[in-house]
Amino acid sequence: MASTEIEGLVQALARLPGLGPRSARRAALHLLKKREGALVPLLQALGAVADRLATCGICGNVDTSDPCAICTDDRRDPRMLCVVEDVADLWALDRSRLFPGRFHVLGGRLSALEGIRPEDLTIDALLRRVAAGGIDEVVLAMNATLEGQTTAHYLAERIEAFPVRLTQLAHGLPVGGELDYMDEGTLAQALRARRPVV
């Protein structure tokens, strides 16, 4: 039996996505065995992030500064805006290094079953960004799920009133797939083959 503190560590790790009780125990044991090489650096990194964690007031990204590093990067094309459901999707697309513009995180997707309505997402903030001008293209990068496509359709109806080119990722992504789990090759193909929303 482990102490209550070690058991608390295991339980905290088990709450992370992808880690069940067994994996959490293995991770905790590794951290304890490699205290100087794994546990201490992890604690330092968590402390540094916890002290400075911020949500970007422009795009909704999670970073250690507000506005985030993406929104303040002068090399990015401010005329291109990619709309994603979640921060994980933003990070997945940004890892591909193929989208030269900026992002907007909705904070979820429309879902009648879960009771998520347009006012529960950052759709109004998105529309304000588009209405302010300076954006030539809006890329709808919703997950290829029923809720994701419903959200994309709703956004297309709201954005079509603005003088912007409206595109969405190609349907080469597998149905039911989520951007965060796609490899860079699949994401690259989806970005290259994006098409206008009809």
Side-chain angles (χ1 to χ4, degrees):
M1 292 290 294
S3 69
T4 55
E5 293 84 2
I6 293 175
E7 200 53 43
L9 172 62
V10 171
Q11 289 175 9
L13 289 170
R15 287 193 289 270
L16 296 173
L19 287 182
R22 275 192 186 157
S23 298
R25 247 178 231 302
R26 282 195 297 274
L29 187 57
H30 174 77
L31 289 170
L32 296 173
K33 282 182 176 179
K34 308 284 185 181
R35 181 175 185 189
E36 295 303 316
L39 181 62
V40 172
L42 177 63
L43 289 172
Q44 291 169 343
L46 287 171
V49 168
D51 292 341
R52 299 182 57 208
L53 190 62
T55 300
C56 180
I58 298 172
C59 73
N61 187 18
V62 176
D63 203 345
T64 55
S65 62
D66 180 16
C68 72
I70 291 174
C71 288
T72 58
D73 186 349
D74 292 335
R75 295 170 297 180
R76 292 191 176 265
D77 187 349
R79 296 168 300 157
M80 297 179 73
L81 186 65
C82 183
V83 182
V84 295
E85 294 175 21
D86 202 324
V87 172
D89 300 332
L90 183 156
W91 289 2
L93 285 169
D94 196 48
R95 266 194 321 267
S96 75
R97 300 201 184 281
L98 293 169
F99 183 71
R102 304 228 167 116
F103 291 91
H104 184 88
V105 179
L106 292 174
R109 58 185 166 233
L110 298 175
S111 174
L113 290 175
E114 297 173 22
I116 300 173
R117 303 162 301 165
E119 53 270 20
D120 298 324
L121 305 175
T122 62
I123 294 173
D124 288 340
L126 169 64
L127 296 176
R128 283 192 299 274
R129 287 180 79 179
V130 175
I135 295 174
D136 295 335
E137 180 182 6
V138 175
V139 180
L140 300 178
M142 307 296 102
N143 287 309
T145 61
L146 178 61
E147 293 88 356
Q149 294 310 300
T150 300
T151 305
H153 182 72
Y154 177 82
L155 291 174
E157 287 180 346
R158 299 289 306 273
I159 295 172
E160 71 183 358
F162 298 100
V164 296
R165 180 173 176 234
L166 189 59
T167 59
Q168 70 181 26
L169 294 184
H171 286 283
L173 296 172
V175 175
E178 295 194 11
L179 295 177
D180 189 35
Y181 296 103
M182 298 297 127
D183 64 288
E184 275 99 9
T186 303
L187 287 171
Q189 183 57 35
L191 273 170
R192 281 190 207 101
R194 65 184 185 271
R195 58 184 174 77
V197 176
V198 190

